[in-house]
Amino acid sequence: MQRTEIGTCIKKAKRLLDSSEIISIPTETVYGLAANGNNSQAIAKIYAAKKRPLSNPLILHYKDTSSAFEDVTIVPKDAETLAEKFWPGPLTMLLPKKQTIPDSVTAGKNCVALRVPQHKLCLALLETLAYPLAAPSANLYGRISPTSPAHVKEQLNTRIPYILDGGICEKGIESTIIGFENEAVIVYRLGSISIEEIEACIQKKVGLKNKLESNQEVLTSGMVKHHYAPNTAMFSIAQKHEGNKIENCGFIGFDTLHPDFPNENQFLLSENGNIDAAAKELYRSFHIMDAKKFSSIYIEFMPEIGIGRAVNDRIKRAIQKYNS
Ligand code: TXA
Ligand code: MG
């Protein structure tokens, strides 16, 4: 059984990746589980460690925009405009891949998911590498994405040799995934960059094909219902009725304590009502509240603005698991 070490050594991270190992890397959104994106043998280890179905493709992480666009056959004008504005940053673009990209990265699809992450240590590592990093979130399949090295270790301990410690993730919610259909820009996964920001950048409306909000088939297979759910049953606070027993229940709120729950059973995402700060805390709150072994957890939705929409999307998915 291998020991999982946590450290900040880029040289060690590079040495492991160069020898086809997988390691966890920090990004500004959530921690990733990374392998050499040109090496199918290393990529296979990601699927095995996460217990992820082989049909679910991976995002490639690049050091800069030009090396990302070199790996695709078409770059629409809007993609260029968005890259200029949001890369490095939490935006993932689906574009037609060159043949050189291994099928194990894209699970046989024609498009590859590209992003240039914003995390300093992650970029410093990418600078030293001769290849992009294939990386899904560093959680076991269907579990909560990790936003700290400790969360990664909790789920992947002994399955990976190294976690590159870049502290707590700045954003706390995964990247926004977009694609291009004819002239339209479509959001496939709500994420850290809001729809409003994307629309302001390209000066036009974008579409949304997110399974929760439309009946269309989702393109990104990871957007299944049961993603992002803690083990403890989770319900919307709006589902709580007068007289419901709540002694052994937790409450995750936005900025105000709930009078019906003991204070020690509550977690406020942002005491001063800041949605970005709340997003950063969301998955951590799931981890912490899950560990308290409540009989159930009630949670409150955030205001539907900016990143609040992506936070609410993750809350809906977490709740859905126990309401279907
Ligand atoms: O913020 C993030 O995006 C994080 C960090 C580590 O970069 N990564 C992440 O990866 O969330 P993952 O694998 O947990 O979620 C990526 C989603 C999955 O739902 C996957 O199905 C979809 O992107 N995806 C990846 N490549 C795709 C492709 N070629 N076509 C369609 N969907 C794709
Ligand atoms: Mg994931």
Side-chain angles (χ1 to χ4, degrees):
M1 207 161 55
Q2 65 184 329
R3 216 171 62 88
T4 304
E5 192 191 324
I6 300 179
T8 55
C9 182
I10 288 183
K11 271 194 188 147
K12 173 156 187 168
K14 174 178 163 53
R15 184 158 37 78
L16 287 163
L17 290 165
D18 283 348
S19 54
S20 306
E21 285 301 329
I22 55 172
I23 64 161
S24 181
I25 55 162
T27 84
E28 75 279 26
T29 57
V30 299
Y31 272 75
L33 181 57
N36 176 345
N38 293 337
N39 178 335
S40 292
Q41 191 198 338
I43 290 165
K45 292 185 184 173
I46 293 180
Y47 286 95
K50 267 185 73 99
K51 304 186 182 162
R52 178 171 169 124
L54 292 171
S55 57
N56 196 349
L58 309 175
I59 298 174
L60 284 181
H61 298 69
Y62 292 83
K63 65 175 188 215
D64 57 28
T65 301
S66 60
S67 40
F69 285 164
E70 242 167 59
D71 278 353
V72 297
T73 54
I74 303 167
V75 180
K77 186 84 196 61
D78 284 337
E80 265 176 43
T81 311
L82 288 163
E84 206 162 299
K85 167 90 180 158
F86 296 113
W87 280 354
L91 182 70
T92 296
M93 297 198 223
L94 296 174
L95 290 169
K97 78 177 189 92
K98 280 194 180 157
Q99 288 210 330
T100 44
I101 306 248
D103 282 339
S104 52
V105 169
T106 56
K109 293 179 197 286
N110 295 331
C111 281
V112 60
L114 312 171
R115 111 175 175 86
V116 180
Q118 202 173 29
H119 195 285
K120 253 168 114 177
L121 196 60
C122 181
L123 280 174
L125 170 64
L126 283 166
E127 279 292 338
T128 70
L129 304 174
Y131 44 82
L133 287 175
S137 49
N139 50 282
L140 292 171
Y141 181 66
R143 299 269 304 276
I144 307 162
S145 299
T147 54
S148 71
H151 293 168
V152 178
K153 189 151 176 158
E154 219 175 275
Q155 296 195 39
L156 295 177
N157 197 19
T158 74
R159 294 175 170 264
I160 56 174
Y162 199 58
I163 300 169
L164 186 62
D165 184 352
I168 298 204
C169 302
E170 194 50 44
K171 302 285 183 192
I173 295 279
E174 297 84 349
S175 62
T176 305
I177 302 181
I178 61 165
F180 303 87
E181 296 183 11
N182 302 316
E183 293 297 294
V185 174
I186 311 288
V187 170
Y188 295 110
R189 176 175 75 181
L190 291 166
S192 286
I193 290 179
S194 67
I195 287 185
E196 296 96 303
E197 287 173 284
I198 294 172
E199 289 179 340
C201 174
I202 53 174
Q203 298 278 301
K204 65 180 184 199
K205 284 274 168 206
V206 305
L208 179 63
K209 289 190 182 174
N210 179 355
K211 198 161 193 173
L212 276 173
E213 309 202 11
S214 74
N215 290 322
Q216 297 154 57
E217 260 311 292
V218 264
L219 190 78
T220 54
S221 41
M223 296 307 280
V224 291
K225 278 205 286 200
H226 293 183
H227 259 69
Y228 314 107
N231 290 321
T232 312
M234 190 177 256
F235 303 97
S236 159
I237 190 65
Q239 292 169 282
K240 187 179 101 54
H241 302 296
E242 284 289 322
N244 275 164
K245 277 209 171 139
I246 50 153
E247 289 102 69
N248 189 31
C249 292
F251 173 67
I252 300 175
F254 179 35
D255 56 0
T256 314
L257 288 170
H258 196 293
D260 293 354
F261 295 81
N263 284 4
E264 64 275 17
N265 288 17
Q266 305 197 41
F267 191 113
L268 291 186
L269 296 175
S270 168
E271 276 176 31
N272 55 10
N274 178 320
I275 300 185
D276 292 319
K280 185 172 175 178
E281 288 286 88
L282 183 76
Y283 290 146
R284 196 170 78 90
S285 78
F286 284 10
H287 275 98
I288 289 173
M289 296 298 265
D290 217 11
K292 294 191 187 236
K293 308 276 181 222
F294 292 120
S295 54
S296 12
I297 299 168
Y298 288 91
I299 187 163
E300 172 178 52
F301 285 102
M302 306 294 113
E304 274 277 308
I305 41 169
I307 200 172
R309 246 177 117 165
V311 173
N312 288 342
D313 170 87
R314 303 305 190 269
I315 295 175
K316 282 179 210 160
R317 287 172 205 281
I319 289 171
Q320 243 183 19
K321 178 169 177 184
Y322 301 99
N323 288 260
S324 54

